[in-house]
Amino acid sequence: MGKADFLSPKAIGNRIKSKGLQKLRWYCQMCQKQCRDENGFKCHCMAESHQRQLLLASEDPNQFMDYFSDEFKRDFLELLRRRFGTKRVHNNIVYNEYISHREHVHMNSTQWETLTDFTKWVGKEGLAKVDETPKGWYIQYIDRDPETIRRQEELERKKKQDLDDEERGAKFIEEQVRRGKDGREPEEAPTFTELKRENEEEKIAFNMASSSVAGPSKPSSLLGASALKAPAGATAKRKEPSSASESREKKKKSALEEIIEMEERKKKKQMSASARTENWLQPNIVVKIVTKKLGEKYHKKKAVIQEVRDQYTAVVKLVISGDKLKLDQSHLETVIPAPGKRVMILNGEYRDTEAVLEGIDEKKFSATLTLDSGRLKGKRVEGVAYEDFSKMP
């Protein structure tokens, strides 16, 4: 009887039956043939091709076992790397996904009798991290790819650089505190002398003002001056530390101001970086066409954005000819008007805010704007980059 046609019902039924996994006891690893039932497997074992494969395997069985073991190890670890990465996962989950492939290498043809033996061997060889728990063995792939190692080194280098910046900031603060302590002058305690009188009956008078005379006789005034001599020196000594303390307060204040300014600048940079987006297109702004793909007719011509689609595509209308074009963001650039004209801020902290152009700094490629809408109307913003604002029609 001839073989059934490819599109015959019998051939289609055979292909449906052969799909998916079937019983392992009816699979021949040497011939890599899966039989559907016991009778088919018996017929296969009696076939001449199977007998030849057995003779080849009997000559050097270790060679075939090593081949199947290497293939099983390679496919299993490749699945672990591609499917789970460096995550810690139960070995039975990986194995069940591995054997779901119909053409996989069966473990009974390898040097490992059980999945536990294979897991232990992988851990011993250093190919993966393995650990035993009450729920079974867990496995974690060790990625030794040069590209992955280079990426991890870059991340560690970046983390170390951030830590170095924080340490530099802490050292700067400590240096400012040390300078403040070094500039402090030691305060000397005032010395007071005992009041002594040569004559018990003599009166003591204190001259509180230059116009008032508080003493009947010259000796008493001299005595008063001698009595106030020591406290006057003490007040002079007190004045010196007070002036030193004022200068020290100024030094501390200046150092504190520097720290505050540094923190404000850092916060401002972080806020501006977080507020920035890749797309800057906005309706009702004037742009310039920079692409040459449309020809010289539209190159360097100004247009007004009528509509923004998908954030990176704009429908523009040319100012002179009135033609409408659909262009990508990379084919457009912003237009800087003359000072005093109205502009729209397209990126950064003040995005979607109207402003007035005050001046341009050509060296820094930035401009100074005055906000003209919103709660911060009238605020002056400096250092706005050229690509972060554009002229309004």
Side-chain angles (χ1 to χ4, degrees):
M1 184 177 179
K3 189 176 181 181
D5 188 28
F6 180 76
L7 295 177
S8 64
K10 184 177 180 181
I12 294 173
N14 290 336
R15 285 198 298 273
I16 292 173
K17 292 177 184 178
S18 63
K19 281 185 178 180
L21 296 176
Q22 299 181 26
K23 291 187 177 181
L24 179 61
R25 62 178 177 174
W26 296 332
Y27 181 81
C28 178
Q29 183 65 60
M30 287 298 303
C31 304
Q32 296 183 1
K33 179 176 176 60
Q34 176 69 56
C35 300
R36 286 199 293 271
D37 51 21
E38 187 176 359
N39 185 38
F41 186 70
K42 182 180 178 181
C43 293
H44 170 73
C45 292
M46 296 172 62
E48 185 180 354
S49 59
H50 178 73
Q51 297 296 329
R52 283 198 302 267
Q53 286 294 113
L54 290 181
L55 290 175
L56 290 174
S58 61
E59 293 178 0
D60 193 358
N62 292 329
Q63 180 183 359
F64 286 89
M65 185 174 290
D66 292 341
Y67 170 75
F68 291 130
S69 299
D70 292 340
E71 192 173 352
F72 177 84
K73 178 199 70 175
R74 185 180 66 252
D75 295 343
F76 188 91
L77 294 178
E78 177 64 21
L79 174 65
L80 178 64
R81 182 191 67 82
R82 187 181 66 252
R83 175 68 175 81
F84 301 97
T86 56
K87 294 180 181 178
R88 180 174 173 269
V89 63
H90 201 284
N91 62 349
N92 205 31
I93 295 175
V94 185
Y95 182 72
N96 287 333
E97 190 162 343
Y98 171 74
I99 64 175
S100 63
H101 182 56
R102 189 168 179 268
E103 303 297 332
H104 71 277
V105 178
H106 293 269
M107 184 170 284
N108 58 2
S109 62
T110 64
Q111 63 183 2
W112 306 286
E113 295 182 358
T114 61
L115 180 62
T116 302
D117 295 339
F118 173 72
T119 305
K120 291 179 181 179
W121 181 86
V122 167
K124 184 178 179 181
E125 294 293 325
L127 301 174
K129 296 179 182 178
V130 298
D131 59 309
E132 186 180 11
T133 64
K135 294 183 179 180
W137 285 86
Y138 282 81
I139 187 170
Q140 183 179 0
Y141 182 73
I142 300 175
D143 196 351
R144 292 189 174 89
D145 185 38
E147 183 66 22
T148 306
I149 295 173
R150 185 186 62 80
R151 198 181 305 117
Q152 290 177 354
E153 289 177 353
E154 288 181 358
L155 292 174
E156 291 177 359
R157 196 181 304 115
K158 185 178 180 182
K159 191 182 295 183
K160 185 179 180 182
Q161 186 177 359
D162 294 340
L163 292 175
D164 292 342
D165 293 339
E166 293 179 0
E167 290 176 0
R168 274 198 293 271
K171 286 182 180 179
F172 176 74
I173 295 172
E174 291 177 0
E175 181 68 18
Q176 295 296 335
V177 173
R178 187 185 62 78
R179 286 182 188 176
K181 289 182 178 179
D182 293 344
R184 181 184 299 171
E185 297 181 4
E187 298 182 0
E188 297 180 3
T191 56
F192 299 96
T193 58
E194 187 180 356
L195 179 61
K196 295 181 180 179
R197 292 189 296 175
E198 297 178 357
N199 190 0
E200 295 291 337
E201 297 178 356
E202 192 172 6
K203 294 181 180 180
I204 300 174
F206 296 94
N207 189 9
M208 304 301 292
S210 58
S211 60
S212 62
V213 180
S217 59
K218 187 176 180 180
S220 63
S221 63
L222 292 173
L223 183 61
S226 64
L228 293 173
K229 187 174 181 181
T235 55
K237 289 179 180 178
R238 286 195 199 99
K239 286 180 181 179
E240 292 176 1
S242 64
S243 62
S245 63
E246 288 176 2
S247 62
R248 186 173 66 254
E249 287 177 0
K250 289 181 179 178
K251 288 182 181 178
K252 284 185 177 180
K253 188 176 180 182
S254 62
L256 185 60
E257 287 177 353
E258 289 180 5
I259 296 170
I260 292 173
E261 289 177 0
M262 184 176 67
E263 292 294 331
E264 287 180 353
R265 286 197 299 268
K266 189 182 292 185
K267 287 182 180 179
K268 191 176 291 185
K269 286 182 181 179
Q270 292 176 353
M271 288 177 63
S272 62
S274 61
R276 293 189 65 84
T277 57
E278 294 182 0
N279 60 304
W280 53 267
L281 296 177
Q282 293 288 342
N284 298 324
I285 62 170
V286 181
V287 293
K288 185 182 291 184
I289 301 173
V290 295
T291 181
K292 294 182 179 179
K293 296 180 179 179
L294 301 176
E296 294 296 331
K297 180 181 178 181
Y298 300 111
H299 183 56
K300 294 292 184 181
K301 295 297 187 292
K302 293 182 181 179
V304 179
I305 296 180
Q306 301 290 326
E307 183 184 354
V308 178
R309 299 178 182 176
D310 300 330
Q311 297 183 348
Y312 296 95
T313 307
V315 178
V316 301
K317 182 179 181 181
L318 270 71
V319 176
I320 298 176
S321 62
D323 296 344
K324 286 189 176 182
L325 302 173
K326 183 179 178 182
L327 299 173
D328 188 75
Q329 176 179 277
S330 59
H331 298 157
L332 303 171
E333 69 175 14
T334 58
V335 175
I336 302 172
K341 299 292 184 179
R342 294 176 62 82
V343 297
M344 173 70 75
I345 300 177
L346 307 175
N347 221 332
E349 184 180 356
Y350 305 103
R351 182 185 176 97
D352 301 336
T353 305
E354 297 180 6
V356 177
L357 179 62
E358 299 292 339
I360 296 174
D361 190 348
E362 296 181 357
K363 293 182 179 179
K364 297 182 179 179
F365 301 99
S366 62
T368 301
L369 307 177
T370 300
L371 303 183
D372 197 33
S373 63
R375 295 183 292 102
L376 302 175
K377 183 177 181 180
K379 182 178 179 180
R380 188 182 178 89
V381 182
E382 297 180 355
V384 182
Y386 287 165
E387 61 271 14
D388 289 346
F389 68 95
S390 187
K391 178 182 177 181
M392 294 184 64

